[in-house]
Amino acid sequence: MSKKRFNVIVAGATGAVGNQMITCLVERNFPVKSIRFLASGRSAGKKLGYKGDEVVVEELTEHSFKGADIAIFSAGGSTSQTFAPFAAKDGCVVVDNSSGWRMDPEVPLVVPEVNPHAIAQYTNKGIIANPNCSTIQMVVPLYPLHKKYGIKRIVVSTYQAVSGTGKEAVDELDNQTRAILNFKDFEKKVYPHTIAFNCLPHIDAFMENGYTKEEMKMVNETRKIMEDDTIGVTATTVRVPVFYGHSESINIETKSNISAAEVKSILEKAPGVKVVDDPQNNIYPMALEAAGHDGVFVGRIRNDESISNGINMWIVADNIRKGAATNAVQIAEILTREYL
Ligand code: 25A
Ligand code: L14
């Protein structure tokens, strides 16, 4: 085993995902030599815990990266677009969680269970992109099925937790729920409508084609990660009043003959996947049970009886862990083990 250790930065450390990244680095025993936490100026001076120590948060600037080996970013798309190139220039490889670099053809977009080989392309720009949370949990179980049966088309509807939007959205659902149950007035700050006791068919901005950006991320990122532009993907992304854990209803149509029984046995052996599928005993994946875990949970696996080669399933994962922080730290682990 290599004893090499690395100078690590977490950028956006005070956010929902950044906090989880710190936890993941500790939980997974990442080979850290030194650690620094960066955020916007309004958080500079705050302290965050790390292995029993307190680490002072510094303001992220273009000079933050001298001497660092790896920076894991979750500070939003525009912050990453501005600052990741400064890190790369100083020889610090960026693993970026935002949407800022994902579709750049020179930047690898990686899910370790699917395309770990793509990490090698980090040398192009010094940046590796971490996919969107809804895309990650979809491709982990679909990739082994694509290899075996060839996926023609995916129809997905998501049921996404508020934590995907960040800390303020978690507070908003909490505050609105309390207010409504107590007949009090409340504010709408994060979402354009009440999220408590509601479902909003709207995640990220609307585009000219009538889809949201979140929906188009699922289309484009899936093809890039699976390295196959022929896969048809159509998505409807919905915000639901859940704190942690995204759920997805997924229908696939394959080129070759597929059956629910075979899918179950393939997924039982698939890396990163846990089959939770015993409906007779009310056992199926649920957000409340997936939250706090790193697995992608799959259940309700059944044949689509309306077409000859179709399967329906229900996929749940913790959007902050496997959907963001865990996946980014897994990428960083492969980078340190095989490339740095
Ligand atoms: O642009 P995107 O890619 O769509 O991403 C938008 C947001 O989604 C989250 C993340 O929010 C991001 O800002 N996100 C990103 N990738 C994600 C993923 N894969 C993802 N969510 C899920 N899955 P977040 O709240 O989780 O974290 C934001 C972090 O980024 C830091 N940050 C923001 N701007 C920065 C910056 N760091 C450096 N330079 C900048 N210019 C941010 O630090 C946080 O760590 P902060 O100091 O801005 O926030 C610390 C605390 O301040 C509170 N707060 C937030 N907004 C305000 C605020 N306080 C006052 N006024 C505000 N306007 C927060 O509660 C936060 O805890
Ligand atoms: O592209 O609001 O990584 O739930 C992930 C979650 C953007 C927003 C991304 C949300 C995002 C999002």
Side-chain angles (χ1 to χ4, degrees), residues 12-17 39-40 42-43 46 60 74-79 83 97-99 102 131 133 163-168 204 319-320 323-324:
T14 50
V17 175
S40 73
R42 67 175 166 253
S43 292
K46 261 194 203 166
L60 167 60
S74 185
S78 58
T79 307
F83 291 101
N97 208 20
S98 80
S99 52
R102 290 177 190 150
C133 37
S163 53
T165 317
K167 277 186 175 169
E168 299 79 60
D204 210 337
N319 53 300
I320 300 295

PDB file of all heavy atoms in Angstrom, residues 12-17 39-40 42-43 46 60 74-79 83 97-99 102 131 133 163-168 204 319-320 323-324, ligand 1:
ATOM      1  N   GLY A  12     -16.148  25.514  -0.821  1.00  0.00           N
ATOM      2  CA  GLY A  12     -17.594  25.443  -0.568  1.00  0.00           C
ATOM      3  C   GLY A  12     -17.847  24.587   0.655  1.00  0.00           C
ATOM      4  O   GLY A  12     -18.896  23.951   0.803  1.00  0.00           O
ATOM      5  N   ALA A  13     -16.867  24.590   1.564  1.00  0.00           N
ATOM      6  CA  ALA A  13     -16.876  23.674   2.712  1.00  0.00           C
ATOM      7  C   ALA A  13     -18.043  23.933   3.665  1.00  0.00           C
ATOM      8  O   ALA A  13     -18.442  23.027   4.398  1.00  0.00           O
ATOM      9  CB  ALA A  13     -15.552  23.789   3.473  1.00  0.00           C
ATOM     10  N   THR A  14     -18.584  25.149   3.673  1.00  0.00           N
ATOM     11  CA  THR A  14     -19.661  25.476   4.617  1.00  0.00           C
ATOM     12  C   THR A  14     -21.038  25.077   4.102  1.00  0.00           C
ATOM     13  O   THR A  14     -22.020  25.202   4.824  1.00  0.00           O
ATOM     14  CB  THR A  14     -19.670  26.988   4.890  1.00  0.00           C
ATOM     15  OG1 THR A  14     -19.651  27.656   3.617  1.00  0.00           O
ATOM     16  CG2 THR A  14     -18.458  27.408   5.706  1.00  0.00           C
ATOM     17  N   GLY A  15     -21.120  24.642   2.853  1.00  0.00           N
ATOM     18  CA  GLY A  15     -22.423  24.282   2.286  1.00  0.00           C
ATOM     19  C   GLY A  15     -22.854  22.878   2.653  1.00  0.00           C
ATOM     20  O   GLY A  15     -22.129  22.146   3.334  1.00  0.00           O
ATOM     21  N   ALA A  16     -24.041  22.521   2.186  1.00  0.00           N
ATOM     22  CA  ALA A  16     -24.602  21.201   2.499  1.00  0.00           C
ATOM     23  C   ALA A  16     -23.685  20.085   1.969  1.00  0.00           C
ATOM     24  O   ALA A  16     -23.377  19.130   2.686  1.00  0.00           O
ATOM     25  CB  ALA A  16     -25.996  21.078   1.885  1.00  0.00           C
ATOM     26  N   VAL A  17     -23.247  20.222   0.730  1.00  0.00           N
ATOM     27  CA  VAL A  17     -22.409  19.182   0.123  1.00  0.00           C
ATOM     28  C   VAL A  17     -20.986  19.252   0.686  1.00  0.00           C
ATOM     29  O   VAL A  17     -20.376  18.230   0.999  1.00  0.00           O
ATOM     30  CB  VAL A  17     -22.395  19.318  -1.413  1.00  0.00           C
ATOM     31  CG1 VAL A  17     -21.436  18.322  -2.042  1.00  0.00           C
ATOM     32  CG2 VAL A  17     -23.800  19.110  -1.970  1.00  0.00           C
ATOM     33  N   ALA A  39     -14.467  28.989   1.468  1.00  0.00           N
ATOM     34  CA  ALA A  39     -15.856  29.345   1.158  1.00  0.00           C
ATOM     35  C   ALA A  39     -15.868  30.810   0.737  1.00  0.00           C
ATOM     36  O   ALA A  39     -14.807  31.407   0.543  1.00  0.00           O
ATOM     37  CB  ALA A  39     -16.762  29.117   2.366  1.00  0.00           C
ATOM     38  N   SER A  40     -17.047  31.390   0.596  1.00  0.00           N
ATOM     39  CA  SER A  40     -17.114  32.801   0.213  1.00  0.00           C
ATOM     40  C   SER A  40     -16.704  33.667   1.407  1.00  0.00           C
ATOM     41  O   SER A  40     -16.639  33.191   2.544  1.00  0.00           O
ATOM     42  CB  SER A  40     -18.517  33.157  -0.261  1.00  0.00           C
ATOM     43  OG  SER A  40     -19.394  33.220   0.834  1.00  0.00           O
ATOM     44  N   ARG A  42     -18.208  35.674   3.170  1.00  0.00           N
ATOM     45  CA  ARG A  42     -19.106  35.798   4.333  1.00  0.00           C
ATOM     46  C   ARG A  42     -18.911  34.668   5.336  1.00  0.00           C
ATOM     47  O   ARG A  42     -19.329  34.797   6.477  1.00  0.00           O
ATOM     48  CB  ARG A  42     -20.569  35.929   3.900  1.00  0.00           C
ATOM     49  CG  ARG A  42     -21.150  34.731   3.258  1.00  0.00           C
ATOM     50  CD  ARG A  42     -22.644  34.865   2.957  1.00  0.00           C
ATOM     51  NE  ARG A  42     -22.986  33.786   2.051  1.00  0.00           N
ATOM     52  CZ  ARG A  42     -23.247  33.936   0.772  1.00  0.00           C
ATOM     53  NH1 ARG A  42     -23.274  35.130   0.239  1.00  0.00           N
ATOM     54  NH2 ARG A  42     -23.498  32.887   0.015  1.00  0.00           N
ATOM     55  N   SER A  43     -18.243  33.588   4.934  1.00  0.00           N
ATOM     56  CA  SER A  43     -17.973  32.499   5.891  1.00  0.00           C
ATOM     57  C   SER A  43     -16.531  32.489   6.393  1.00  0.00           C
ATOM     58  O   SER A  43     -16.201  31.683   7.257  1.00  0.00           O
ATOM     59  CB  SER A  43     -18.247  31.151   5.247  1.00  0.00           C
ATOM     60  OG  SER A  43     -19.617  30.997   5.008  1.00  0.00           O
ATOM     61  N   LYS A  46     -15.131  31.491  10.061  1.00  0.00           N
ATOM     62  CA  LYS A  46     -15.905  30.429  10.729  1.00  0.00           C
ATOM     63  C   LYS A  46     -15.004  29.234  10.980  1.00  0.00           C
ATOM     64  O   LYS A  46     -14.027  29.041  10.261  1.00  0.00           O
ATOM     65  CB  LYS A  46     -17.019  29.943   9.782  1.00  0.00           C
ATOM     66  CG  LYS A  46     -18.377  30.513  10.038  1.00  0.00           C
ATOM     67  CD  LYS A  46     -19.406  29.681   9.263  1.00  0.00           C
ATOM     68  CE  LYS A  46     -20.665  30.468   9.000  1.00  0.00           C
ATOM     69  NZ  LYS A  46     -21.520  29.841   8.000  1.00  0.00           N
ATOM     70  N   LEU A  60     -12.150  31.900  -0.509  1.00  0.00           N
ATOM     71  CA  LEU A  60     -11.646  31.347  -1.767  1.00  0.00           C
ATOM     72  C   LEU A  60     -11.187  32.488  -2.676  1.00  0.00           C
ATOM     73  O   LEU A  60     -11.968  33.388  -2.988  1.00  0.00           O
ATOM     74  CB  LEU A  60     -12.770  30.551  -2.438  1.00  0.00           C
ATOM     75  CG  LEU A  60     -12.613  30.116  -3.896  1.00  0.00           C
ATOM     76  CD1 LEU A  60     -11.400  29.229  -4.087  1.00  0.00           C
ATOM     77  CD2 LEU A  60     -13.852  29.378  -4.346  1.00  0.00           C
ATOM     78  N   SER A  74     -17.501  22.361  -4.174  1.00  0.00           N
ATOM     79  CA  SER A  74     -18.960  22.389  -4.274  1.00  0.00           C
ATOM     80  C   SER A  74     -19.441  23.761  -3.886  1.00  0.00           C
ATOM     81  O   SER A  74     -20.011  23.976  -2.824  1.00  0.00           O
ATOM     82  CB  SER A  74     -19.613  21.333  -3.387  1.00  0.00           C
ATOM     83  OG  SER A  74     -21.007  21.357  -3.644  1.00  0.00           O
ATOM     84  N   ALA A  75     -19.165  24.721  -4.742  1.00  0.00           N
ATOM     85  CA  ALA A  75     -19.474  26.113  -4.426  1.00  0.00           C
ATOM     86  C   ALA A  75     -20.329  26.745  -5.518  1.00  0.00           C
ATOM     87  O   ALA A  75     -20.403  27.970  -5.616  1.00  0.00           O
ATOM     88  CB  ALA A  75     -18.186  26.884  -4.237  1.00  0.00           C
ATOM     89  N   GLY A  76     -20.994  25.913  -6.318  1.00  0.00           N
ATOM     90  CA  GLY A  76     -21.846  26.435  -7.388  1.00  0.00           C
ATOM     91  C   GLY A  76     -21.097  26.579  -8.707  1.00  0.00           C
ATOM     92  O   GLY A  76     -19.860  26.669  -8.728  1.00  0.00           O
ATOM     93  N   GLY A  77     -21.877  26.598  -9.782  1.00  0.00           N
ATOM     94  CA  GLY A  77     -21.312  26.570 -11.133  1.00  0.00           C
ATOM     95  C   GLY A  77     -20.425  27.764 -11.463  1.00  0.00           C
ATOM     96  O   GLY A  77     -19.312  27.596 -11.986  1.00  0.00           O
ATOM     97  N   SER A  78     -20.875  28.975 -11.150  1.00  0.00           N
ATOM     98  CA  SER A  78     -20.099  30.137 -11.584  1.00  0.00           C
ATOM     99  C   SER A  78     -18.819  30.261 -10.762  1.00  0.00           C
ATOM    100  O   SER A  78     -17.777  30.642 -11.302  1.00  0.00           O
ATOM    101  CB  SER A  78     -20.939  31.414 -11.532  1.00  0.00           C
ATOM    102  OG  SER A  78     -21.409  31.597 -10.227  1.00  0.00           O
ATOM    103  N   THR A  79     -18.871  29.910  -9.473  1.00  0.00           N
ATOM    104  CA  THR A  79     -17.653  29.934  -8.650  1.00  0.00           C
ATOM    105  C   THR A  79     -16.623  28.946  -9.211  1.00  0.00           C
ATOM    106  O   THR A  79     -15.437  29.260  -9.320  1.00  0.00           O
ATOM    107  CB  THR A  79     -17.993  29.582  -7.188  1.00  0.00           C
ATOM    108  OG1 THR A  79     -19.032  30.440  -6.755  1.00  0.00           O
ATOM    109  CG2 THR A  79     -16.801  29.742  -6.272  1.00  0.00           C
ATOM    110  N   PHE A  83     -12.903  29.861 -10.535  1.00  0.00           N
ATOM    111  CA  PHE A  83     -11.730  29.543  -9.715  1.00  0.00           C
ATOM    112  C   PHE A  83     -11.022  28.230 -10.057  1.00  0.00           C
ATOM    113  O   PHE A  83      -9.829  28.107  -9.789  1.00  0.00           O
ATOM    114  CB  PHE A  83     -12.094  29.579  -8.228  1.00  0.00           C
ATOM    115  CG  PHE A  83     -12.394  30.977  -7.740  1.00  0.00           C
ATOM    116  CD1 PHE A  83     -13.706  31.404  -7.569  1.00  0.00           C
ATOM    117  CD2 PHE A  83     -11.361  31.867  -7.487  1.00  0.00           C
ATOM    118  CE1 PHE A  83     -13.982  32.711  -7.139  1.00  0.00           C
ATOM    119  CE2 PHE A  83     -11.623  33.160  -7.055  1.00  0.00           C
ATOM    120  CZ  PHE A  83     -12.941  33.589  -6.888  1.00  0.00           C
ATOM    121  N   ASN A  97     -17.975  19.519  -8.218  1.00  0.00           N
ATOM    122  CA  ASN A  97     -19.318  19.012  -8.037  1.00  0.00           C
ATOM    123  C   ASN A  97     -20.391  19.840  -8.738  1.00  0.00           C
ATOM    124  O   ASN A  97     -21.552  19.459  -8.761  1.00  0.00           O
ATOM    125  CB  ASN A  97     -19.561  19.059  -6.527  1.00  0.00           C
ATOM    126  CG  ASN A  97     -20.513  18.040  -6.087  1.00  0.00           C
ATOM    127  OD1 ASN A  97     -20.746  17.062  -6.769  1.00  0.00           O
ATOM    128  ND2 ASN A  97     -21.096  18.270  -4.944  1.00  0.00           N
ATOM    129  N   SER A  98     -20.047  20.976  -9.281  1.00  0.00           N
ATOM    130  CA  SER A  98     -21.079  21.857  -9.842  1.00  0.00           C
ATOM    131  C   SER A  98     -21.374  21.487 -11.291  1.00  0.00           C
ATOM    132  O   SER A  98     -20.734  20.621 -11.881  1.00  0.00           O
ATOM    133  CB  SER A  98     -20.609  23.307  -9.798  1.00  0.00           C
ATOM    134  OG  SER A  98     -19.735  23.557 -10.891  1.00  0.00           O
ATOM    135  N   SER A  99     -22.333  22.214 -11.869  1.00  0.00           N
ATOM    136  CA  SER A  99     -22.663  21.984 -13.274  1.00  0.00           C
ATOM    137  C   SER A  99     -21.696  22.731 -14.201  1.00  0.00           C
ATOM    138  O   SER A  99     -21.810  22.618 -15.419  1.00  0.00           O
ATOM    139  CB  SER A  99     -24.107  22.426 -13.527  1.00  0.00           C
ATOM    140  OG  SER A  99     -24.286  23.754 -13.062  1.00  0.00           O
ATOM    141  N   ARG A 102     -19.244  20.172 -16.468  1.00  0.00           N
ATOM    142  CA  ARG A 102     -19.598  18.787 -16.806  1.00  0.00           C
ATOM    143  C   ARG A 102     -19.635  18.487 -18.290  1.00  0.00           C
ATOM    144  O   ARG A 102     -19.249  17.397 -18.717  1.00  0.00           O
ATOM    145  CB  ARG A 102     -20.976  18.450 -16.213  1.00  0.00           C
ATOM    146  CG  ARG A 102     -20.967  18.353 -14.717  1.00  0.00           C
ATOM    147  CD  ARG A 102     -22.379  18.082 -14.211  1.00  0.00           C
ATOM    148  NE  ARG A 102     -22.446  18.207 -12.772  1.00  0.00           N
ATOM    149  CZ  ARG A 102     -23.538  18.589 -12.130  1.00  0.00           C
ATOM    150  NH1 ARG A 102     -24.647  18.888 -12.794  1.00  0.00           N
ATOM    151  NH2 ARG A 102     -23.524  18.674 -10.818  1.00  0.00           N
ATOM    152  N   PRO A 131     -20.925  14.307 -11.706  1.00  0.00           N
ATOM    153  CA  PRO A 131     -22.226  14.532 -12.345  1.00  0.00           C
ATOM    154  C   PRO A 131     -23.302  15.042 -11.382  1.00  0.00           C
ATOM    155  O   PRO A 131     -23.119  15.067 -10.173  1.00  0.00           O
ATOM    156  CB  PRO A 131     -22.612  13.146 -12.878  1.00  0.00           C
ATOM    157  CG  PRO A 131     -21.343  12.363 -12.902  1.00  0.00           C
ATOM    158  CD  PRO A 131     -20.507  12.903 -11.781  1.00  0.00           C
ATOM    159  N   CYS A 133     -26.639  14.870  -9.209  1.00  0.00           N
ATOM    160  CA  CYS A 133     -27.073  13.819  -8.279  1.00  0.00           C
ATOM    161  C   CYS A 133     -28.077  12.836  -8.903  1.00  0.00           C
ATOM    162  O   CYS A 133     -27.954  11.615  -8.734  1.00  0.00           O
ATOM    163  CB  CYS A 133     -27.679  14.450  -7.033  1.00  0.00           C
ATOM    164  SG  CYS A 133     -28.645  15.941  -7.358  1.00  0.00           S
ATOM    165  N   SER A 163     -32.631  19.155  -0.036  1.00  0.00           N
ATOM    166  CA  SER A 163     -31.213  19.348   0.300  1.00  0.00           C
ATOM    167  C   SER A 163     -30.358  19.520  -0.947  1.00  0.00           C
ATOM    168  O   SER A 163     -29.269  20.093  -0.867  1.00  0.00           O
ATOM    169  CB  SER A 163     -30.697  18.179   1.136  1.00  0.00           C
ATOM    170  OG  SER A 163     -30.976  16.956   0.485  1.00  0.00           O
ATOM    171  N   GLY A 164     -30.826  19.059  -2.101  1.00  0.00           N
ATOM    172  CA  GLY A 164     -30.106  19.274  -3.363  1.00  0.00           C
ATOM    173  C   GLY A 164     -29.875  20.740  -3.648  1.00  0.00           C
ATOM    174  O   GLY A 164     -28.900  21.107  -4.305  1.00  0.00           O
ATOM    175  N   THR A 165     -30.777  21.581  -3.193  1.00  0.00           N
ATOM    176  CA  THR A 165     -30.658  23.020  -3.457  1.00  0.00           C
ATOM    177  C   THR A 165     -29.703  23.688  -2.474  1.00  0.00           C
ATOM    178  O   THR A 165     -29.255  24.802  -2.706  1.00  0.00           O
ATOM    179  CB  THR A 165     -32.043  23.680  -3.364  1.00  0.00           C
ATOM    180  OG1 THR A 165     -32.988  22.835  -4.020  1.00  0.00           O
ATOM    181  CG2 THR A 165     -32.061  25.034  -4.024  1.00  0.00           C
ATOM    182  N   GLY A 166     -29.418  23.041  -1.346  1.00  0.00           N
ATOM    183  CA  GLY A 166     -28.518  23.633  -0.353  1.00  0.00           C
ATOM    184  C   GLY A 166     -29.210  23.833   0.982  1.00  0.00           C
ATOM    185  O   GLY A 166     -30.388  23.508   1.153  1.00  0.00           O
ATOM    186  N   LYS A 167     -28.455  24.404   1.909  1.00  0.00           N
ATOM    187  CA  LYS A 167     -28.934  24.534   3.293  1.00  0.00           C
ATOM    188  C   LYS A 167     -30.187  25.396   3.437  1.00  0.00           C
ATOM    189  O   LYS A 167     -31.055  25.105   4.253  1.00  0.00           O
ATOM    190  CB  LYS A 167     -27.839  25.170   4.142  1.00  0.00           C
ATOM    191  CG  LYS A 167     -26.810  24.194   4.622  1.00  0.00           C
ATOM    192  CD  LYS A 167     -25.871  24.907   5.563  1.00  0.00           C
ATOM    193  CE  LYS A 167     -24.888  23.933   6.158  1.00  0.00           C
ATOM    194  NZ  LYS A 167     -23.819  24.636   6.856  1.00  0.00           N
ATOM    195  N   GLU A 168     -30.249  26.489   2.664  1.00  0.00           N
ATOM    196  CA  GLU A 168     -31.395  27.395   2.828  1.00  0.00           C
ATOM    197  C   GLU A 168     -32.690  26.682   2.473  1.00  0.00           C
ATOM    198  O   GLU A 168     -33.751  26.974   3.026  1.00  0.00           O
ATOM    199  CB  GLU A 168     -31.271  28.642   1.946  1.00  0.00           C
ATOM    200  CG  GLU A 168     -30.064  29.514   2.220  1.00  0.00           C
ATOM    201  CD  GLU A 168     -28.804  28.955   1.596  1.00  0.00           C
ATOM    202  OE1 GLU A 168     -28.766  28.804   0.366  1.00  0.00           O
ATOM    203  OE2 GLU A 168     -27.860  28.636   2.342  1.00  0.00           O
ATOM    204  N   ASP A 204     -34.239  23.711 -11.184  1.00  0.00           N
ATOM    205  CA  ASP A 204     -33.341  24.563 -11.963  1.00  0.00           C
ATOM    206  C   ASP A 204     -34.186  25.322 -13.009  1.00  0.00           C
ATOM    207  O   ASP A 204     -35.413  25.216 -13.045  1.00  0.00           O
ATOM    208  CB  ASP A 204     -32.188  23.744 -12.575  1.00  0.00           C
ATOM    209  CG  ASP A 204     -30.910  24.563 -12.750  1.00  0.00           C
ATOM    210  OD1 ASP A 204     -31.023  25.806 -12.832  1.00  0.00           O
ATOM    211  OD2 ASP A 204     -29.819  23.985 -12.799  1.00  0.00           O
ATOM    212  N   ASN A 319     -28.893  11.955  -1.971  1.00  0.00           N
ATOM    213  CA  ASN A 319     -28.418  12.901  -2.982  1.00  0.00           C
ATOM    214  C   ASN A 319     -27.171  13.664  -2.550  1.00  0.00           C
ATOM    215  O   ASN A 319     -26.378  14.095  -3.385  1.00  0.00           O
ATOM    216  CB  ASN A 319     -29.524  13.896  -3.339  1.00  0.00           C
ATOM    217  CG  ASN A 319     -30.097  14.589  -2.126  1.00  0.00           C
ATOM    218  OD1 ASN A 319     -30.632  13.935  -1.216  1.00  0.00           O
ATOM    219  ND2 ASN A 319     -30.008  15.903  -2.078  1.00  0.00           N
ATOM    220  N   ILE A 320     -26.973  13.819  -1.249  1.00  0.00           N
ATOM    221  CA  ILE A 320     -25.795  14.549  -0.776  1.00  0.00           C
ATOM    222  C   ILE A 320     -24.589  13.613  -0.684  1.00  0.00           C
ATOM    223  O   ILE A 320     -23.456  14.028  -0.861  1.00  0.00           O
ATOM    224  CB  ILE A 320     -26.089  15.209   0.596  1.00  0.00           C
ATOM    225  CG1 ILE A 320     -27.260  16.182   0.485  1.00  0.00           C
ATOM    226  CG2 ILE A 320     -24.866  15.917   1.155  1.00  0.00           C
ATOM    227  CD1 ILE A 320     -27.001  17.373  -0.400  1.00  0.00           C
ATOM    228  N   GLY A 323     -24.958  10.983  -4.409  1.00  0.00           N
ATOM    229  CA  GLY A 323     -25.303  11.971  -5.436  1.00  0.00           C
ATOM    230  C   GLY A 323     -24.319  13.124  -5.555  1.00  0.00           C
ATOM    231  O   GLY A 323     -24.358  13.881  -6.514  1.00  0.00           O
ATOM    232  N   ALA A 324     -23.440  13.289  -4.559  1.00  0.00           N
ATOM    233  CA  ALA A 324     -22.524  14.437  -4.605  1.00  0.00           C
ATOM    234  C   ALA A 324     -21.202  14.111  -3.913  1.00  0.00           C
ATOM    235  O   ALA A 324     -20.219  13.761  -4.561  1.00  0.00           O
ATOM    236  CB  ALA A 324     -23.193  15.669  -3.986  1.00  0.00           C
TER     237      ALA A 324
HETATM  238  O1  25A B   1     -24.690  26.716  -9.454  1.00  0.00           O
HETATM  239  P1  25A B   1     -25.078  25.308  -9.166  1.00  0.00           P
HETATM  240  O2  25A B   1     -24.048  24.297  -9.648  1.00  0.00           O
HETATM  241  O3  25A B   1     -26.457  24.971  -9.670  1.00  0.00           O
HETATM  242  O4  25A B   1     -25.107  25.142  -7.553  1.00  0.00           O
HETATM  243  C1  25A B   1     -25.928  25.942  -6.736  1.00  0.00           C
HETATM  244  C2  25A B   1     -25.807  25.524  -5.306  1.00  0.00           C
HETATM  245  O5  25A B   1     -26.132  24.141  -5.191  1.00  0.00           O
HETATM  246  C3  25A B   1     -25.291  23.545  -4.211  1.00  0.00           C
HETATM  247  C4  25A B   1     -24.447  24.588  -3.578  1.00  0.00           C
HETATM  248  O6  25A B   1     -25.117  25.131  -2.398  1.00  0.00           O
HETATM  249  C5  25A B   1     -24.428  25.636  -4.690  1.00  0.00           C
HETATM  250  O7  25A B   1     -24.163  26.920  -4.161  1.00  0.00           O
HETATM  251  N1  25A B   1     -24.592  22.518  -4.932  1.00  0.00           N
HETATM  252  C6  25A B   1     -23.553  22.541  -5.756  1.00  0.00           C
HETATM  253  N2  25A B   1     -23.283  21.368  -6.268  1.00  0.00           N
HETATM  254  C7  25A B   1     -24.217  20.550  -5.755  1.00  0.00           C
HETATM  255  C8  25A B   1     -24.516  19.169  -5.882  1.00  0.00           C
HETATM  256  N3  25A B   1     -23.825  18.365  -6.673  1.00  0.00           N
HETATM  257  C9  25A B   1     -25.038  21.292  -4.910  1.00  0.00           C
HETATM  258  N4  25A B   1     -26.034  20.777  -4.232  1.00  0.00           N
HETATM  259  C10 25A B   1     -26.275  19.471  -4.398  1.00  0.00           C
HETATM  260  N5  25A B   1     -25.568  18.690  -5.191  1.00  0.00           N
HETATM  261  P2  25A B   1     -24.672  24.792  -0.886  1.00  0.00           P
HETATM  262  O8  25A B   1     -25.504  25.640  -0.012  1.00  0.00           O
HETATM  263  O9  25A B   1     -24.613  23.357  -0.631  1.00  0.00           O
HETATM  264  O10 25A B   1     -23.163  25.284  -0.783  1.00  0.00           O
HETATM  265  C11 25A B   1     -22.721  26.471  -1.226  1.00  0.00           C
HETATM  266  C12 25A B   1     -21.221  26.532  -0.820  1.00  0.00           C
HETATM  267  O11 25A B   1     -20.553  27.349  -1.789  1.00  0.00           O
HETATM  268  C13 25A B   1     -19.917  28.425  -1.079  1.00  0.00           C
HETATM  269  N6  25A B   1     -19.859  29.566  -1.949  1.00  0.00           N
HETATM  270  C14 25A B   1     -20.847  30.239  -2.532  1.00  0.00           C
HETATM  271  N7  25A B   1     -20.385  31.239  -3.271  1.00  0.00           N
HETATM  272  C15 25A B   1     -19.036  31.218  -3.132  1.00  0.00           C
HETATM  273  C16 25A B   1     -18.693  30.153  -2.286  1.00  0.00           C
HETATM  274  N8  25A B   1     -17.457  29.879  -1.955  1.00  0.00           N
HETATM  275  C17 25A B   1     -16.492  30.658  -2.459  1.00  0.00           C
HETATM  276  N9  25A B   1     -16.726  31.704  -3.258  1.00  0.00           N
HETATM  277  C18 25A B   1     -17.970  32.007  -3.627  1.00  0.00           C
HETATM  278  N10 25A B   1     -18.187  33.048  -4.437  1.00  0.00           N
HETATM  279  C19 25A B   1     -20.807  28.654   0.094  1.00  0.00           C
HETATM  280  O12 25A B   1     -20.162  29.380   1.090  1.00  0.00           O
HETATM  281  C20 25A B   1     -21.111  27.229   0.506  1.00  0.00           C
HETATM  282  O13 25A B   1     -20.041  26.670   1.205  1.00  0.00           O
HETATM  283  P3  25A B   1     -20.956  30.634   1.710  1.00  0.00           P
HETATM  284  O14 25A B   1     -20.014  31.308   2.581  1.00  0.00           O
HETATM  285  O15 25A B   1     -21.550  31.443   0.571  1.00  0.00           O
HETATM  286  O16 25A B   1     -22.149  30.042   2.502  1.00  0.00           O
HETATM  287  C21 25A B   1     -21.941  29.688   3.845  1.00  0.00           C
HETATM  288  C22 25A B   1     -23.282  29.714   4.531  1.00  0.00           C
HETATM  289  O17 25A B   1     -23.974  30.935   4.228  1.00  0.00           O
HETATM  290  C23 25A B   1     -25.366  30.711   4.070  1.00  0.00           C
HETATM  291  N11 25A B   1     -25.773  31.496   2.935  1.00  0.00           N
HETATM  292  C24 25A B   1     -25.951  31.065   1.685  1.00  0.00           C
HETATM  293  N12 25A B   1     -26.375  32.055   0.895  1.00  0.00           N
HETATM  294  C25 25A B   1     -26.458  33.160   1.683  1.00  0.00           C
HETATM  295  C26 25A B   1     -26.079  32.804   2.981  1.00  0.00           C
HETATM  296  N13 25A B   1     -26.038  33.679   3.973  1.00  0.00           N
HETATM  297  C27 25A B   1     -26.383  34.953   3.713  1.00  0.00           C
HETATM  298  N14 25A B   1     -26.756  35.358   2.489  1.00  0.00           N
HETATM  299  C28 25A B   1     -26.809  34.520   1.453  1.00  0.00           C
HETATM  300  N15 25A B   1     -27.164  34.954   0.229  1.00  0.00           N
HETATM  301  C29 25A B   1     -25.538  29.250   3.861  1.00  0.00           C
HETATM  302  O18 25A B   1     -26.454  28.769   4.822  1.00  0.00           O
HETATM  303  C30 25A B   1     -24.181  28.613   4.022  1.00  0.00           C
HETATM  304  O19 25A B   1     -24.227  27.617   5.022  1.00  0.00           O
END
